[in-house]
Structure formats: C-alpha cells, structure tokens
Amino acid sequence: MTKRLRERYAQSIEQLARAETVIPLGSQTFSKSRTQYPVGAAPLFAERASGSHLWDVDGNEYVDLVSALGAVILGYADPDVDNAVRRQLRNGVTLSLATRLESEVAERIVELVPCAESVRFGKNDTDATSAAIRLASAFTGRDHVVALGYHGWQDWYIGLTTRDLGFPEAVKALTHRAPYNDLDVLQAVIAGLPDQVAAVIPEPMTSEWPVSGYLEGVRQLTSEQGIVLVFDEMLIGFRFAPGGAQEYFGVTPDLAAFGKALANGYPLSAIVGRADIMRLMEDVFLSSTFGGETLSLAAARAVLTRMATGEPTARLAKIGSQLMNAAQRSIDGYGASLVTLSGHPSWALLNWTLTDPDRLAEAKTLFLQEMLRHGVLVLGTHDITTAFTDADITAIESAYAHALTAVADGVASGDLRSRLECEPIRPLFTLR
C-alpha cells in the first residue's frame, strides 16, 4: 500500500480494526465489507450522503454508483421522503396496534403493481422472497422450488451456492436452479419433478434482457403445471416502470417480492400477489414486530406517490442512457477488449471478458481501486438515482477512462498484480 493511499483511507483502516473487535467482518453486509472493498485501496466506512454523493470517514467525496446497493432510488436525503419521515416521527415509530399507514401504502402498491391484489410487509429482501416461497408451498401442497436468479440468504436459496456453511442438506435438496433465458432447461427441471414444484422464482431481468417469448413462456409453463410464479423484483422493482418489471414486460406473476427502492433506503419490503394465495397469510406464519414500523411506511408512501406520476422512472431511463453512452465511450476508447456493458439504462452491469480467475480478480480490483481513486464509488453496476446530474456523468466517464486505461495497460504488460495497492478481491460465492 502506498503512503498516499494509506493516508487517503487512514480512518477507514483504523475504524475497520475497531469494528472487527466486536463485529464479524466489521460490517452487517457482505457487500459493504472488506470482502468487496479492498483494504487500503478503498473506503470501508461512510460518514454521510446527500443526493448522488457519499463522503467516507476520511472526508473523501464520491459520486455514488452503488446507491446503498440499489436501495436508494430518489437520491440520498430526498426532501419529500425525509420530511414525511419527520412528520411521522412525532406520532410514533413502532406502536402497539396496526396503523392506517399500512393500509394506505398497501393500497398504493395495489394501484401500481399488476399482480398486487393483497400486500404484506417485511423489513428486508429475504423476508419477502421467503414468504413467497412459503406461501407457494402452502397453496400448492408441494415442496420443491426452481430458482432462476439471486434471492437472498435464507436456507431455501443460499444452499445452492458455495457459501452454504450451516445449511441442512435436506433443505438444499428442495431447491433447484435453471439458467435465465433457457425455457427448455426449465421445462426439463420441472419434468424431472412431476407435481412436486411449488414455485418458480426468477428475477424478471437483471443485466440480461429476456429473449423474445421467454417470460411469457415461463408464465404459460407454470400455469399449465399448477406452479406459483414468483417475480423477485427486489433489485429492479420501480426502476423500469411504476408497476415494476411485470408492468414493463407485460407478464403478470402470481406473487412478487419488492424491497430496496420501495422506501428509498428505509428498511421495508413487501410480498404482493393474488388475493386467493395471499389469503393464506392468515394461517401461514409470517409475523414481525417491526413489519408495521411507521417511519419506513411513511417513506414508502412518499416514494410511491412520486412513482405514480411516472416521472422517476422516466428520469432514470434518461439519466441511465446518458451514463451508459458515456461509459461506452470510455470502454470503446480504453477497454473494448476487456469489458462490455449490459442491462437496462436504470440498472446496468459491467461484464469482464477475462477468463483466467486470477487475472480477472486482479483486473476487477485494479478497476475498483482506480475508480475510487478518481472519486467514483462503484462495485461494477450502475445503481443510479434520480438525483444524478450531468456533472456526475462527466465525472464517471472520466473515472472510467482512467481506470480502464490502467487495467488495459496492466493486461498488456502482464503486470496487473504489481499495479494493485491491495490484495485482489475474490467473488463472494459461486453457484453450485
């Protein structure tokens, strides 16, 4: 680690040592920890954020392309959202009875989301996806699940990955995976489990566009087989359209899980869907002291009011297109053989072409190191918000140019590792 970088991140390094004495990894979230941000070449602790910018504990300022892992969609400290929270704070946070806010927010979701006839709230993404799977099993009387994406940390999903320490083998055996955009494989997996599949749960899209007829085919197949179709819209919900990806693509699932952007960073998720399936919530056990916590619901009401106008999704598409074009110019000029960019303008992904695992880890870490050095907080995706400005896009394009030049030079010279001022970052997990 150079003296310059050591000084740039001195407070982060000091705080990590302190945090790890009482917190495993020093963070509550893998994606915010040293597993994803290299110690000594990256910030590890934030001090504050506003609009599209974040400041770390060392006082360094960044254009934030992570946006709280996509949980912020209107920008940090959005006035409408935060004022709604302040007003509610005077009336209490977690009360001894249900509140009218729960019904009001549920009604707004029902108005926006095509599949939503009924709603229940949770606090995080895994609450909602796991509730959907439990409901599907109760409704169908079946036990098996087919997963087509990433769906949280509960046993039923994460057992499919290499980070499966502590998960029962009996539970792992009930979840199966199929690749996105391959209807034939999905049909084969279901055929191998006749009358046993309770749910198929895809992310309707992340960085890969659905091929023509794919989502419609999944809808038809699940309907024919008596399988509950669950859309996991945690990542992209409210980014593509006010009613989510299901509105955008015109394919209506039986159930859907929303979170992240639902409350612009306040902790809230929702399981929504057909009334006949959701009615089983009266008997299926999903009960949480904080499910009706009012500050997050007040935030969600403010977010959904804005979403209903269509303005936020239109702005995300416009800003996202400008950013993708700017990033593509840097890729074309400095890294065309190394990376591609894919996805919807409101959420895009940087894809690396390197196949050697060691070189790939070194290239991705060097890219991260240099993007951070040039004032852009990034993990490899474009988690944009409506608060992004033209100046932000110009800054990101410049950082891309610097970072990709460093990586391209390192690949050409065969000395990627020597250019790193930290240890390479490795993938958190892989699918089995």
Side-chain angles (χ1 to χ4, degrees):
M1 180 192 324
T2 65
K3 181 179 180 182
R4 184 170 63 176
L5 278 187
R6 184 169 63 246
E7 292 174 348
R8 176 178 171 84
Y9 303 117
Q11 292 299 313
S12 269
I13 296 168
E14 181 179 327
Q15 178 59 33
L16 178 64
R18 176 185 178 184
E20 288 197 314
T21 64
V22 289
I23 300 171
L25 280 181
S27 172
Q28 310 306 315
T29 311
F30 275 120
S31 297
K32 298 180 184 181
S33 75
R34 58 176 168 79
T35 67
Q36 301 301 298
Y37 292 101
V39 178
L44 294 166
F45 294 90
E47 187 68 30
R48 64 186 180 93
S50 179
S52 56
H53 287 227
L54 178 144
W55 288 260
D56 67 18
V57 291
D58 288 279
N60 301 306
E61 182 179 357
Y62 306 88
V63 179
D64 188 354
L65 263 182
V66 181
S67 300
L69 303 176
V72 173
I73 195 169
L74 301 179
Y76 293 109
D78 176 78
D80 290 344
V81 175
D82 287 359
N83 286 335
V85 170
R86 290 187 187 98
R87 288 191 297 270
Q88 178 57 41
L89 184 60
R90 295 192 292 267
N91 294 323
V93 179
T94 301
L95 308 181
S96 298
L97 297 173
T99 67
R100 286 179 290 188
L101 258 177
E102 296 171 45
S103 298
E104 292 171 8
V105 175
E107 287 165 356
R108 295 190 186 202
I109 293 174
V110 169
E111 290 170 0
L112 287 175
V113 177
C115 81
E117 298 173 351
S118 184
V119 179
R120 280 289 296 271
F121 296 111
K123 297 311 293 179
N124 58 52
D125 302 353
T126 298
D127 286 349
T129 54
S130 295
I133 297 306
R134 188 173 295 179
L135 272 176
S137 183
F139 185 75
T140 62
R142 302 171 181 176
D143 295 331
H144 290 259
V145 177
V146 182
L148 282 68
Y150 170 76
H151 306 295
W153 61 265
Q154 287 279 14
D155 294 14
W156 68 267
Y157 170 73
I158 209 68
L160 284 176
T161 76
T162 54
R163 194 169 284 273
D164 61 349
L165 185 65
F167 295 106
E169 291 295 329
V171 175
K172 293 181 192 179
L174 296 176
T175 305
H176 315 267
R177 66 183 180 95
Y180 182 80
N181 260 342
D182 196 326
L183 195 58
D184 290 339
V185 172
L186 178 61
Q187 288 175 320
V189 171
I190 292 172
L193 298 163
D195 299 320
Q196 297 177 68
V197 177
V200 168
I201 178 168
E203 294 177 279
M205 178 182 166
T206 53
S207 64
E208 183 180 356
W209 287 87
V211 298
S212 178
Y214 172 71
L215 291 176
E216 293 84 354
V218 174
R219 173 68 282 182
Q220 181 178 346
L221 175 62
T222 52
S223 295
E224 291 172 350
Q225 297 295 323
I227 297 168
V228 174
L229 176 60
V230 182
F231 273 8
D232 181 347
E233 296 219 35
M234 286 296 165
L235 184 63
I236 58 174
F238 307 116
R239 287 188 171 272
F240 292 10
Q246 57 192 267
E247 177 191 347
Y248 186 80
F249 291 115
V251 177
T252 304
D254 301 304
L255 299 173
F258 288 85
K260 288 191 183 287
L262 174 59
N264 202 51
Y266 288 87
L268 187 70
S269 61
I271 169 68
V272 311
R274 282 170 36 187
D276 59 331
I277 301 177
M278 292 291 293
R279 196 169 296 118
L280 288 172
M281 281 287 189
E282 296 177 4
D283 296 304
V284 170
F285 200 86
L286 176 68
S287 184
S288 167
T289 298
F290 299 111
E293 174 263 306
T294 62
L295 300 187
S296 297
L297 288 167
R301 182 172 58 183
V303 170
L304 293 169
T305 298
R306 291 264 289 278
M307 287 296 162
T309 69
E311 188 277 332
T313 49
R315 179 160 175 77
L316 287 173
K318 178 182 177 181
I319 296 169
S321 294
Q322 292 173 340
L323 178 56
M324 287 186 79
N325 290 336
Q328 192 62 54
R329 287 193 292 270
S330 291
I331 291 169
D332 292 342
Y334 308 99
S337 64
L338 298 173
V339 292
T340 61
L341 198 60
S342 65
H344 185 276
S346 67
W347 192 91
L349 175 72
L350 201 63
N351 308 281
W352 292 84
T353 61
L354 297 171
T355 56
D356 178 81
D358 291 333
R359 291 182 71 209
L360 177 59
E362 291 164 359
K364 291 174 74 171
T365 305
L366 181 59
F367 174 79
L368 184 65
Q369 172 185 291
E370 297 306 310
M371 289 289 284
L372 294 166
R373 191 198 301 269
H374 288 90
V376 176
L377 189 69
V378 66
L379 282 174
T381 58
H382 290 179
D383 287 282
I384 62 170
T385 75
T386 60
F388 272 62
T389 65
D390 290 344
D392 292 332
I393 293 172
T394 298
I396 294 168
E397 182 176 6
S398 176
Y400 257 110
H402 284 289
L404 289 174
T405 297
V407 175
D409 289 348
V411 170
S413 303
D415 62 352
L416 280 169
R417 184 66 182 84
S418 67
R419 294 168 184 258
L420 289 177
E421 302 180 38
C422 56
E423 291 298 312
I425 293 295
R426 300 290 177 176
L428 184 60
F429 63 77
T430 58
L431 290 171
R432 290 186 177 279

